Amino acid sequence: MEKPSLLDIFLFPKSYFAKLTDKLPTLFLGIIFVGLSNAVFLFLDYMPIMFCNKTLSVLIFNSTLALCIAVLLGLVDIIFFSLPLFDLFKFFRVKETIKNMNGQLIKLMKVYISAHFIIVPVQAFFEATVRLAKWGGMTSSFAFYINLIEFIILPIWLAAIVARGINTIYDFDDRLKNMIYVIVYCWHLILSYALSFTIGNWILLLFR
């Protein structure tokens, strides 16, 4: 058996992306996973306000609303990330003609979902480190540097995974492959800021 390279370990093997299918059940599970991950990280600082010292009826309402918002966030995140790129990639030159376009869109969504399998645990580690540092009385500068590393490394890492997956399932002309990373990184950064702004300014107002 061939020994996996560092890229295979940190960015998934190309064979993994090549085996992605257009089956819907796994897509739906991926949407829920991404949505719950987004909701946990975005709501983390607001959970005491949302769930502490609430009556039972309010607690049930807020819990149900949070779950619905989580699923909606996953759906919005994946669709808004994948669909514009999918439309853009139609104009890019590929080595082989894509016959099943709907299936290709689902595969693109699964590439994006797959990146979260690596990024989410790492992000959870960073978030836990920051909170433990604060509870342990460490200086605020330590938490600042951890957050800075998190906000720099994770988008770069996620974009690298997604770009590797996209280049695998599309088999682009070699001259376009480096451009894919830049497109994915910029688009993901814009989308992340848009979702964070929406959560902070609108969705939290729905909770009691």
Side-chain angles (χ1 to χ4, degrees):
M1 181 181 291
E2 185 179 352
K3 186 177 180 180
S5 65
L6 282 177
L7 288 180
D8 291 339
I9 295 172
F10 288 102
L11 305 181
F12 284 113
K14 290 183 178 180
S15 59
Y16 166 80
F17 294 114
K19 292 178 182 177
L20 290 176
T21 67
D22 57 358
K23 294 181 179 179
L24 292 177
T26 48
L27 174 64
F28 295 148
L29 290 174
I31 289 172
I32 294 172
F33 173 75
V34 172
L36 289 174
S37 302
N38 286 344
V40 167
F41 291 126
L42 291 171
F43 290 152
L44 201 56
D45 292 327
Y46 303 98
M47 284 186 178
I49 300 174
M50 294 162 54
F51 298 111
C52 293
N53 300 321
K54 301 292 184 180
T55 63
L56 180 59
S57 60
V58 173
L59 192 59
I60 293 173
F61 175 84
N62 283 354
S63 300
T64 304
L65 181 60
L67 185 59
C68 293
I69 288 175
V71 176
L72 183 62
L73 277 176
L75 186 63
V76 169
D77 187 4
I78 292 170
I79 289 178
F80 274 66
F81 177 85
S82 303
L83 197 56
L85 294 183
F86 176 72
D87 290 335
L88 176 64
F89 294 157
K90 289 178 182 177
F91 300 100
F92 282 30
R93 182 182 299 173
V94 295
K95 294 178 181 178
E96 294 184 9
T97 304
I98 298 170
K99 298 177 181 178
N100 183 0
M101 297 302 290
N102 290 332
Q104 192 72 3
L105 175 58
I106 294 173
K107 289 180 182 180
L108 176 57
M109 291 179 176
K110 288 185 177 182
V111 166
Y112 182 57
I113 291 169
S114 297
H116 288 75
F117 296 154
I118 293 177
I119 298 301
V120 168
V122 176
Q123 187 175 1
F125 170 78
F126 279 124
E127 293 290 341
T129 302
V130 169
R131 280 160 176 75
L132 288 173
K134 290 180 179 178
W135 292 338
M138 298 185 71
T139 60
S140 58
S141 60
F142 176 80
F144 170 78
Y145 286 123
I146 293 295
N147 278 327
L148 186 63
I149 293 172
E150 176 184 354
F151 294 135
I152 291 175
I153 289 179
L154 293 190
I156 293 173
W157 194 354
L158 183 140
I161 296 172
V162 175
R164 183 177 174 90
I166 289 172
N167 282 324
T168 301
I169 66 171
Y170 272 94
D171 196 20
F172 286 119
D173 187 286
D174 292 339
R175 292 170 294 180
L176 298 172
K177 289 186 176 180
N178 291 332
M179 188 190 305
I180 299 300
Y181 174 82
V182 177
I183 294 171
V184 169
Y185 176 79
C186 292
W187 180 235
H188 176 256
L189 214 59
I190 294 170
L191 186 59
S192 297
Y193 283 127
L195 285 175
S196 298
F197 178 82
T198 303
I199 291 292
N201 292 274
W202 298 101
I203 293 181
L204 289 171
L205 299 177
L206 299 175
F207 291 92
R208 295 179 180 176

